[in-house]
Amino acid sequence: MRERQTGTIVNVTSIGGKFAGPFGGWYHATKFAVEGLSDSLRQEVAEFGVRVVIVEPGAIKTEWGDIALDSAQAASGQGPYGDRVRRMSAAMRQDGGTMTRGSEPDLVASVIMNAIQAPRPRTRYVVGHLARPAVVARWLLSDRMMDRMSARMMGD
């Protein structure tokens, strides 16, 4: 890409790189890291005509959510956080919860294709169920208000 003086790198992260929720520190840490890496890389390769784009999906209909909730229950379900993990899992899996209302995966694929084909792509694409409201809330609300909102969504 440097030699050709053109190209687009697309890094897919998550809105989980904008804010963190309980029992997902391991996940959020990786997503925050991809955000920082992408921001740095974008500045480093710009002089070579290479663009770096970040795609930040919200809730997407994949098996990831079930895997994450099952892992949380396996790791914490029998310990001091067990009750809270069970409430969180039930709230997220209930009809209308974030696990049941995700966007289709092809929406993310479409955004990636648009970013690749755009002559001047945006640096960030927020896509999918609850993605935009979550990013706007993170921008507008204090940390404590975000914590309260997260707690309510997680069944607390």
Side-chain angles (χ1 to χ4, degrees):
M1 287 185 195
R2 285 189 310 245
E3 288 176 9
R4 290 188 335 215
Q5 294 285 299
T6 188
T8 303
I9 297 168
V10 178
N11 287 332
V12 180
T13 178
S14 165
I15 60 168
K18 297 291 189 192
F19 59 89
F23 309 108
W26 56 272
Y27 175 78
H28 295 290
T30 64
K31 299 310 174 184
F32 275 81
V34 172
E35 294 272 342
L37 172 70
S38 300
D39 287 339
S40 292
L41 183 61
R42 183 179 62 252
Q43 296 171 60
E44 294 165 5
V45 299
E47 70 177 286
F48 301 106
V50 179
R51 297 164 301 276
V52 176
V53 171
I54 303 167
V55 177
E56 302 166 324
I60 304 296
K61 290 181 185 175
T62 67
E63 63 281 352
W64 180 89
D66 286 326
I67 292 168
L69 291 174
D70 291 345
S71 294
Q73 287 185 332
S76 301
Q78 303 306 313
Y81 301 105
D83 288 340
R84 189 163 182 218
V85 168
R86 284 187 287 282
R87 285 194 313 272
M88 177 184 75
S89 181
M92 291 180 77
R93 288 179 175 167
Q94 74 182 0
D95 188 37
T98 58
M99 301 300 297
T100 63
R101 301 185 68 204
S103 298
E104 295 296 329
D106 61 350
L107 178 63
V108 177
S110 175
V111 167
I112 292 169
M113 282 301 298
N114 289 341
I116 291 169
Q117 295 171 343
R120 192 164 184 259
R122 297 189 314 232
T123 58
R124 281 181 169 71
Y125 290 84
V126 177
V127 61
H129 180 67
L130 292 179
R132 189 151 313 279
V135 170
V136 169
R138 172 67 276 177
W139 183 69
L140 290 173
L141 301 177
S142 69
D143 290 341
R144 293 191 197 291
M145 290 184 77
M146 282 296 293
D147 291 351
R148 285 193 292 273
M149 186 176 74
S150 176
R152 272 189 237 121
M153 289 178 68
M154 301 292 181
D156 286 343

